[in-house]
Protein backbone atom coordinates (compact mmCIF):
# COMPACT_ATOMS: atom_id res chain seq x y z
CA UNK A 1 0.00 0.00 0.00
CA UNK A 2 1.24 3.48 -0.86
CA UNK A 3 2.26 5.08 2.43
CA UNK A 4 1.31 8.50 1.03
CA UNK A 5 -2.38 7.61 1.39
CA UNK A 6 -1.96 7.50 5.15
CA UNK A 7 -1.38 11.25 5.28
CA UNK A 8 -4.08 13.43 6.81
CA UNK A 9 -5.55 16.05 4.48
CA UNK A 10 -4.28 19.59 5.00
CA UNK A 11 -7.56 20.88 6.41
CA UNK A 12 -7.68 18.14 9.03
CA UNK A 13 -4.02 18.63 9.93
CA UNK A 14 -4.54 22.37 10.27
CA UNK A 15 -7.44 21.82 12.66
CA UNK A 16 -5.23 19.62 14.84
CA UNK A 17 -2.34 22.09 14.67
CA UNK A 18 -0.01 19.59 13.06
CA UNK A 19 1.30 21.62 10.12
CA UNK A 20 5.00 22.46 10.55
CA UNK A 21 6.55 25.88 10.76
CA UNK A 22 8.80 27.32 8.03
CA UNK A 23 11.88 25.48 9.37
CA UNK A 24 10.30 22.05 9.12
CA UNK A 25 8.96 20.80 5.78
CA UNK A 26 8.18 17.18 6.68
CA UNK A 27 5.15 15.88 8.55
CA UNK A 28 5.48 12.58 10.35
CA UNK A 29 8.61 11.81 8.32
CA UNK A 30 6.87 12.37 4.97
CA UNK A 31 7.40 15.12 2.42
CA UNK A 32 4.44 17.31 1.62
CA UNK A 33 3.93 17.25 -2.15
CA UNK A 34 1.74 19.91 -3.75
CA UNK A 35 0.42 20.20 -7.29
CA UNK A 36 0.43 23.82 -8.46
CA UNK A 37 -1.26 25.13 -11.61
CA UNK A 38 -0.57 28.74 -12.56
CA UNK A 39 -3.67 30.31 -14.13
CA UNK A 40 -3.40 34.07 -14.46
CA UNK A 41 -6.50 35.89 -15.73
CA UNK A 42 -4.66 37.93 -18.35
CA UNK A 43 -4.00 36.15 -21.66
CA UNK A 44 -3.02 38.02 -24.80
CA UNK A 45 -3.66 35.06 -27.09
CA UNK A 46 -6.99 33.67 -25.81
CA UNK A 47 -9.01 35.68 -23.23
CA UNK A 48 -9.51 33.70 -20.01
CA UNK A 49 -7.92 30.75 -21.79
CA UNK A 50 -7.46 28.76 -18.59
CA UNK A 51 -11.19 28.29 -18.07
CA UNK A 52 -12.32 28.21 -21.68
CA UNK A 53 -14.03 24.89 -22.36
CA UNK A 54 -12.08 22.31 -24.34
CA UNK A 55 -14.20 19.32 -25.43
CA UNK A 56 -16.75 20.44 -22.85
CA UNK A 57 -14.24 20.79 -19.98
CA UNK A 58 -12.61 23.98 -18.60
CA UNK A 59 -8.98 23.86 -19.71
CA UNK A 60 -7.59 23.70 -16.17
CA UNK A 61 -10.07 20.91 -15.46
CA UNK A 62 -8.08 18.49 -17.61
CA UNK A 63 -4.84 18.92 -15.67
CA UNK A 64 -6.61 19.09 -12.31
CA UNK A 65 -8.23 15.75 -13.10
CA UNK A 66 -4.82 14.30 -14.08
CA UNK A 67 -3.34 15.49 -10.78
CA UNK A 68 -6.27 14.19 -8.76
CA UNK A 69 -6.36 10.80 -10.50
CA UNK A 70 -2.63 10.28 -10.00
CA UNK A 71 -3.37 9.95 -6.25
CA UNK A 72 0.06 11.37 -5.46
CA UNK A 73 -0.55 14.80 -3.96
CA UNK A 74 -1.08 16.01 -0.41
CA UNK A 75 -2.63 19.22 -1.73
CA UNK A 76 -3.69 20.60 -5.10
CA UNK A 77 -3.59 24.32 -5.82
CA UNK A 78 -4.41 26.86 -8.52
CA UNK A 79 -2.52 30.15 -8.38
CA UNK A 80 -4.62 32.92 -9.90
CA UNK A 81 -5.54 36.59 -9.75
CA UNK A 82 -9.01 36.19 -11.24
CA UNK A 83 -12.36 35.59 -9.52
CA UNK A 84 -13.87 33.37 -12.23
CA UNK A 85 -10.78 31.16 -12.41
CA UNK A 86 -10.91 30.83 -8.62
CA UNK A 87 -14.53 29.65 -8.80
CA UNK A 88 -13.77 27.03 -11.45
CA UNK A 89 -10.66 25.83 -9.58
CA UNK A 90 -12.62 25.31 -6.37
CA UNK A 91 -15.41 23.51 -8.21
CA UNK A 92 -12.78 21.00 -9.39
CA UNK A 93 -11.53 20.41 -5.86
CA UNK A 94 -8.45 22.63 -5.90
CA UNK A 95 -7.37 25.05 -3.22
CA UNK A 96 -6.60 28.59 -4.38
CA UNK A 97 -3.49 30.68 -3.91
CA UNK A 98 -4.57 34.25 -4.60
CA UNK A 99 -1.61 35.69 -6.45
CA UNK A 100 -0.51 39.23 -5.53
CA UNK A 101 -0.64 42.01 -8.16
CA UNK A 102 3.16 42.18 -8.03
CA UNK A 103 3.41 38.73 -9.60
CA UNK A 104 0.35 38.96 -11.87
CA UNK A 105 1.76 41.35 -14.45
CA UNK A 106 2.51 40.42 -18.06
CA UNK A 107 6.21 40.60 -17.29
CA UNK A 108 5.98 38.36 -14.21
CA UNK A 109 7.72 35.00 -14.57
CA UNK A 110 6.40 31.60 -13.59
CA UNK A 111 9.30 31.21 -11.17
CA UNK A 112 8.32 34.41 -9.32
CA UNK A 113 4.73 33.18 -8.92
CA UNK A 114 5.91 29.78 -7.69
CA UNK A 115 8.35 31.37 -5.24
CA UNK A 116 5.53 33.48 -3.80
CA UNK A 117 3.45 30.31 -3.33
CA UNK A 118 6.40 28.57 -1.66
CA UNK A 119 6.97 31.48 0.77
CA UNK A 120 3.31 31.45 1.81
CA UNK A 121 3.20 27.66 2.16
CA UNK A 122 6.40 26.72 3.99
CA UNK A 123 5.09 23.23 4.82
CA UNK A 124 5.27 22.24 1.13
CA UNK A 125 8.48 20.36 0.36
CA UNK A 126 8.02 19.33 -3.27
CA UNK A 127 6.22 21.60 -5.73
CA UNK A 128 4.84 20.07 -8.91
CA UNK A 129 4.19 22.87 -11.36
CA UNK A 130 1.72 21.53 -13.95
CA UNK A 131 0.95 23.70 -16.96
CA UNK A 132 -2.73 24.50 -17.39
CA UNK A 133 -2.26 24.38 -21.18
CA UNK A 134 -1.47 20.63 -21.32
CA UNK A 135 -4.89 18.94 -21.52
CA UNK A 136 -3.56 15.58 -22.73
CA UNK A 137 -1.48 14.98 -19.60
CA UNK A 138 -2.24 11.54 -18.15
CA UNK A 139 -2.19 10.59 -14.43
CA UNK A 140 0.39 7.91 -15.28
CA UNK A 141 2.84 10.58 -16.45
CA UNK A 142 2.39 12.56 -13.24
CA UNK A 143 2.76 9.51 -11.01
CA UNK A 144 5.84 8.08 -12.70
CA UNK A 145 7.63 11.44 -12.85
CA UNK A 146 6.91 12.21 -9.21
CA UNK A 147 8.13 8.78 -8.15
CA UNK A 148 11.49 9.72 -9.64
CA UNK A 149 11.76 12.39 -6.93
CA UNK A 150 10.14 10.51 -4.05
CA UNK A 151 11.67 7.09 -4.67
CA UNK A 152 14.74 7.58 -6.86
CA UNK A 153 16.21 10.65 -5.18
CA UNK A 154 16.09 13.19 -7.99
CA UNK A 155 15.72 16.88 -7.10
CA UNK A 156 14.17 18.05 -10.36
CA UNK A 157 12.15 16.22 -13.01
CA UNK A 158 10.56 17.83 -16.07
CA UNK A 159 8.66 16.54 -19.08
CA UNK A 160 10.10 16.21 -22.57
CA UNK A 161 9.01 14.86 -25.94
CA UNK A 162 11.13 13.33 -28.69
CA UNK A 163 11.21 15.44 -31.87
CA UNK A 164 12.63 14.56 -35.27
CA UNK A 165 13.28 18.06 -36.57
CA UNK A 166 16.35 19.06 -38.55
CA UNK A 167 17.62 22.40 -37.27
CA UNK A 168 19.54 25.08 -39.18
CA UNK A 169 21.40 28.16 -38.00
CA UNK A 170 19.42 31.38 -38.17
CA UNK A 171 21.03 34.25 -40.08
CA UNK A 172 19.99 37.87 -40.18
CA UNK A 173 18.77 39.31 -43.45
CA UNK A 174 21.39 41.36 -45.21
CA UNK A 175 24.24 39.96 -43.09
CA UNK A 176 25.77 38.06 -45.99
CA UNK A 177 26.06 34.95 -43.83
CA UNK A 178 25.10 31.50 -45.02
CA UNK A 179 23.11 29.12 -42.92
CA UNK A 180 24.52 25.79 -41.85
CA UNK A 181 23.05 22.63 -40.34
CA UNK A 182 23.01 22.31 -36.57
CA UNK A 183 22.05 18.68 -36.05
CA UNK A 184 22.49 16.85 -39.35
CA UNK A 185 24.79 16.13 -42.26
CA UNK A 186 22.78 17.12 -45.36
CA UNK A 187 24.82 14.71 -47.50
CA UNK A 188 23.65 11.83 -45.32
CA UNK A 189 20.15 12.71 -44.19
CA UNK A 190 18.97 9.95 -41.87
CA UNK A 191 15.58 8.32 -42.21
CA UNK A 192 13.24 8.97 -39.29
CA UNK A 193 13.41 5.32 -38.20
CA UNK A 194 17.23 5.45 -38.21
CA UNK A 195 17.51 8.59 -36.07
CA UNK A 196 16.67 8.78 -32.37
CA UNK A 197 15.72 12.44 -32.67
CA UNK A 198 16.20 14.98 -29.88
CA UNK A 199 14.56 15.52 -26.51
CA UNK A 200 12.75 18.84 -26.17
CA UNK A 201 10.81 20.29 -23.23
CA UNK A 202 7.10 19.99 -23.93
CA UNK A 203 6.04 22.29 -21.07
CA UNK A 204 3.62 19.84 -19.42
CA UNK A 205 5.21 19.86 -15.95
CA UNK A 206 8.22 20.83 -13.84
CA UNK A 207 8.62 19.06 -10.50
CA UNK A 208 11.26 20.20 -8.02
CA UNK A 209 12.05 20.76 -4.36
CA UNK A 210 11.26 23.99 -2.54
CA UNK A 211 14.96 24.61 -1.81
CA UNK A 212 15.82 24.76 -5.52
CA UNK A 213 12.84 27.01 -6.18
CA UNK A 214 13.79 29.45 -3.45
CA UNK A 215 17.37 29.44 -4.73
CA UNK A 216 16.09 30.46 -8.14
CA UNK A 217 17.39 27.33 -9.90
CA UNK A 218 14.54 24.82 -10.18
CA UNK A 219 16.26 22.74 -12.87
CA UNK A 220 19.42 21.93 -10.97
CA UNK A 221 20.77 19.45 -8.45
CA UNK A 222 20.05 15.86 -9.48
CA UNK A 223 18.10 16.54 -12.67
CA UNK A 224 16.17 14.04 -14.76
CA UNK A 225 13.67 14.19 -17.60
CA UNK A 226 10.46 12.25 -18.10
CA UNK A 227 9.72 11.43 -21.72
CA UNK A 228 6.06 11.75 -22.74
CA UNK A 229 4.57 10.29 -25.93
CA UNK A 230 4.11 12.82 -28.77
CA UNK A 231 0.33 12.32 -28.80
CA UNK A 232 0.14 13.54 -25.20
CA UNK A 233 2.46 16.51 -25.76
CA UNK A 234 -0.08 19.20 -26.58
CA UNK A 235 0.48 22.81 -25.53
CA UNK A 236 -2.22 25.41 -26.18
CA UNK A 237 -0.86 28.89 -26.77
CA UNK A 238 -2.95 30.57 -29.46
CA UNK A 239 -6.38 30.06 -31.04
CA UNK A 240 -5.05 27.84 -33.81
CA UNK A 241 -3.93 25.29 -31.19
CA UNK A 242 -7.44 24.91 -29.78
CA UNK A 243 -9.08 22.67 -32.45
CA UNK A 244 -5.91 20.58 -32.66
CA UNK A 245 -5.97 19.98 -28.90
CA UNK A 246 -9.69 19.25 -28.93
CA UNK A 247 -9.30 16.60 -31.63
CA UNK A 248 -6.38 15.09 -29.76
CA UNK A 249 -8.35 14.83 -26.52
CA UNK A 250 -11.19 13.10 -28.35
CA UNK A 251 -8.85 10.79 -30.26
CA UNK A 252 -7.22 9.61 -27.06
CA UNK A 253 -10.74 8.55 -26.03
CA UNK A 254 -10.73 11.53 -23.69
CA UNK A 255 -7.34 10.53 -22.19
CA UNK A 256 -7.96 9.41 -18.62
CA UNK A 257 -11.28 10.82 -17.54
CA UNK A 258 -13.79 10.37 -20.35
CA UNK A 259 -13.15 6.62 -20.42
CA UNK A 260 -15.10 6.36 -17.15
CA UNK A 261 -18.83 6.08 -16.64
CA UNK A 262 -21.07 8.93 -17.76
CA UNK A 263 -23.23 10.81 -15.28
CA UNK A 264 -26.15 13.21 -15.71
CA UNK A 265 -27.34 15.11 -12.64
CA UNK A 266 -30.66 16.90 -12.43
CA UNK A 267 -31.11 20.65 -12.12
CA UNK A 268 -31.44 20.62 -8.34
CA UNK A 269 -28.18 18.75 -7.77
CA UNK A 270 -26.01 21.31 -6.03
CA UNK A 271 -25.07 19.62 -2.75
CA UNK A 272 -21.62 18.24 -1.96
CA UNK A 273 -22.52 14.67 -2.90
CA UNK A 274 -23.72 15.77 -6.34
CA UNK A 275 -20.59 17.81 -7.01
CA UNK A 276 -18.38 14.88 -5.98
CA UNK A 277 -20.34 12.65 -8.35
CA UNK A 278 -19.86 15.10 -11.22
CA UNK A 279 -16.15 15.33 -10.51
CA UNK A 280 -15.63 11.57 -10.28
CA UNK A 281 -17.60 10.61 -13.40
CA UNK A 282 -15.61 10.49 -16.60
CA UNK A 283 -18.14 12.28 -18.79
CA UNK A 284 -20.58 14.15 -16.58
CA UNK A 285 -23.34 16.50 -17.64
CA UNK A 286 -26.02 18.75 -16.18
CA UNK A 287 -29.19 20.24 -17.70
CA UNK A 288 -29.08 23.81 -18.94
CA UNK A 289 -30.96 25.07 -15.86
CA UNK A 290 -28.56 23.51 -13.32
CA UNK A 291 -26.98 25.66 -10.57
CA UNK A 292 -23.73 27.42 -11.50
CA UNK A 293 -21.68 25.29 -9.10
CA UNK A 294 -22.92 22.13 -10.85
CA UNK A 295 -22.29 23.58 -14.31
CA UNK A 296 -18.71 24.39 -13.33
CA UNK A 297 -18.17 20.84 -12.07
CA UNK A 298 -19.76 19.08 -15.06
CA UNK A 299 -17.86 18.19 -18.21
CA UNK A 300 -20.81 19.03 -20.48
CA UNK A 301 -23.73 21.42 -20.08
CA UNK A 302 -26.88 20.50 -22.02
CA UNK A 303 -28.74 23.10 -24.02
CA UNK A 304 -31.97 21.44 -22.90
CA UNK A 305 -33.33 21.99 -19.40
CA UNK A 306 -34.29 19.26 -16.96
CA UNK A 307 -37.26 17.15 -18.02
CA UNK A 308 -37.24 18.57 -21.55
CA UNK A 309 -34.75 16.50 -23.52
CA UNK A 310 -31.55 16.78 -21.46
CA UNK A 311 -31.11 13.01 -21.17
CA UNK A 312 -31.57 12.48 -24.89
CA UNK A 313 -29.16 15.32 -25.68
CA UNK A 314 -26.51 13.89 -23.36
CA UNK A 315 -26.87 10.43 -24.91
CA UNK A 316 -26.49 11.91 -28.39
CA UNK A 317 -23.42 13.85 -27.20
CA UNK A 318 -21.77 10.64 -25.96
CA UNK A 319 -22.43 8.90 -29.29
CA UNK A 320 -21.05 11.90 -31.18
CA UNK A 321 -17.83 11.89 -29.17
CA UNK A 322 -17.41 8.17 -29.80
CA UNK A 323 -17.87 8.66 -33.53
CA UNK A 324 -15.39 11.56 -33.59
CA UNK A 325 -12.79 9.50 -31.75
CA UNK A 326 -13.36 6.50 -34.04
CA UNK A 327 -13.07 8.68 -37.14
CA UNK A 328 -9.85 10.30 -35.92
CA UNK A 329 -8.30 6.94 -35.08
CA UNK A 330 -9.14 5.69 -38.60
CA UNK A 331 -7.57 8.80 -40.13
CA UNK A 332 -4.44 8.29 -38.03
CA UNK A 333 -4.24 4.70 -39.25
CA UNK A 334 -4.46 5.89 -42.86
CA UNK A 335 -1.81 8.56 -42.26
CA UNK A 336 0.56 6.03 -40.72
CA UNK A 337 0.12 3.51 -43.54
CA UNK A 338 0.78 6.15 -46.20
CA UNK A 339 3.87 7.65 -44.58
Amino acid sequence: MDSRKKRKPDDEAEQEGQLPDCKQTWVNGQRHVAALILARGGSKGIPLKNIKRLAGVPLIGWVLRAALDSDMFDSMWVSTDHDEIEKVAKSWGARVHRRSPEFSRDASTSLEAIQEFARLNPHVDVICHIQATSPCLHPKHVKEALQMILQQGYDSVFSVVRRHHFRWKEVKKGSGEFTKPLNLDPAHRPRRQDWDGELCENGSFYFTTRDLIMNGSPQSGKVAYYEMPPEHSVDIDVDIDWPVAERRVLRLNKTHSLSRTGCLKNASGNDKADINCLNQAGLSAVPGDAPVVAINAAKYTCHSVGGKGAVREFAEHILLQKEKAKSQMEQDRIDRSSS
Side-chain angles (χ1 to χ4, degrees):
M1 178 181 293
D2 186 351
S3 61
R4 299 189 59 75
K5 296 180 182 178
K6 298 179 181 179
R7 286 290 308 277
K8 292 183 177 180
D10 278 350
D11 292 340
E12 185 179 344
E14 286 174 352
Q15 291 174 4
E16 297 182 9
Q18 293 179 357
L19 284 183
D21 59 27
C22 60
K23 297 181 180 180
Q24 182 184 3
T25 57
W26 290 34
V27 178
N28 298 328
Q30 293 181 319
R31 307 165 85 175
H32 184 108
V33 182
L36 177 65
I37 293 90
L38 304 183
R40 192 169 63 91
S43 174
K44 293 187 177 298
I46 306 174
L48 285 181
K49 170 178 62 180
N50 294 306
I51 56 174
K52 181 179 178 180
R53 286 186 175 266
L54 177 79
V57 180
L59 185 59
I60 61 171
W62 289 104
V63 293
L64 286 171
R65 173 55 60 81
L68 181 65
D69 286 357
S70 73
D71 201 25
M72 293 293 289
F73 297 105
D74 300 295
S75 59
M76 187 172 67
W77 299 76
V78 169
S79 172
T80 188
D81 61 339
H82 198 278
D83 292 342
E84 290 302 313
I85 296 177
E86 177 175 352
K87 291 178 183 177
V88 173
K90 288 181 176 179
S91 74
W92 279 79
R95 304 174 69 178
V96 172
H97 162 238
R98 195 69 186 202
R99 200 183 308 185
S100 67
E102 180 183 358
F103 301 116
S104 300
R105 301 188 298 260
D106 288 341
S108 300
T109 66
S110 295
L111 179 58
E112 289 173 335
I114 297 171
Q115 286 176 328
E116 181 186 44
F117 169 82
R119 284 193 295 269
L120 295 175
N121 295 275
H123 59 284
V124 175
D125 184 63
V126 178
I127 296 177
C128 302
H129 172 209
I130 301 175
Q131 298 269 51
T133 52
S134 302
C136 292
L137 180 65
H138 193 278
K140 173 185 175 182
H141 307 148
V142 175
K143 184 172 184 176
E144 292 180 348
L146 187 50
Q147 285 174 337
M148 295 173 69
I149 290 180
L150 300 177
Q151 298 178 10
Q152 300 178 35
Y154 289 102
D155 301 311
S156 174
V157 177
F158 57 93
S159 58
V160 300
V161 63
R162 192 173 298 272
R163 301 294 190 197
H164 292 77
H165 295 163
F166 294 133
R167 295 182 293 106
W168 290 76
K169 179 183 176 182
E170 182 180 359
V171 295
K172 295 182 179 180
K173 291 182 178 180
S175 66
E177 289 186 78
F178 299 102
T179 189
K180 63 181 181 179
L182 296 178
N183 65 346
L184 80 151
D185 178 0
H188 301 90
R189 295 174 67 93
R191 299 183 305 166
R192 181 184 178 92
Q193 56 266 42
D194 296 330
W195 181 42
D196 290 337
E198 298 178 328
L199 296 177
C200 307
E201 290 187 18
N202 69 357
S204 287
F205 59 75
Y206 299 86
F207 299 170
T208 190
T209 63
R210 69 171 293 110
D211 289 341
L212 293 182
I213 288 172
M214 299 313 296
N215 288 336
S217 53
Q219 289 176 290
S220 61
K222 298 177 181 178
V223 185
Y225 60 79
Y226 178 86
E227 184 175 350
M228 286 175 54
E231 61 267 26
H232 287 274
S233 298
V234 174
D235 182 42
I236 298 177
D237 185 36
V238 293
D239 274 323
I240 195 172
D241 298 326
W242 206 267
V244 174
E246 196 157 55
R247 288 196 299 271
R248 184 70 58 83
V249 167
L250 294 173
R251 190 202 72 183
L252 293 171
N253 202 18
K254 327 316 177 284
T255 51
H256 50 286
S257 62
L258 300 193
S259 61
R260 295 181 171 189
T261 305
C263 167
L264 175 67
K265 297 300 293 183
N266 62 33
S268 63
N270 61 354
D271 60 21
K272 188 174 182 180
D274 286 340
I275 301 306
N276 287 338
C277 179
L278 289 168
N279 281 327
Q280 290 299 319
L283 180 52
S284 58
V286 291
D289 56 344
V292 174
V293 65
I295 290 176
N296 287 336
K299 313 304 182 299
Y300 177 77
T301 302
C302 297
H303 297 286
S304 306
V305 299
K308 295 186 177 182
V311 174
R312 178 184 292 274
E313 180 184 339
F314 183 41
E316 291 174 347
H317 175 72
I318 293 174
L319 292 175
L320 177 62
Q321 303 315 306
K322 290 180 67 176
E323 287 301 316
K324 284 183 177 180
K326 182 179 179 180
S327 176
Q328 187 62 52
M329 290 175 69
E330 179 62 18
Q331 184 61 52
D332 289 343
R333 185 190 65 77
I334 294 172
D335 293 343
R336 286 195 299 270
S337 63
S338 61
S339 60

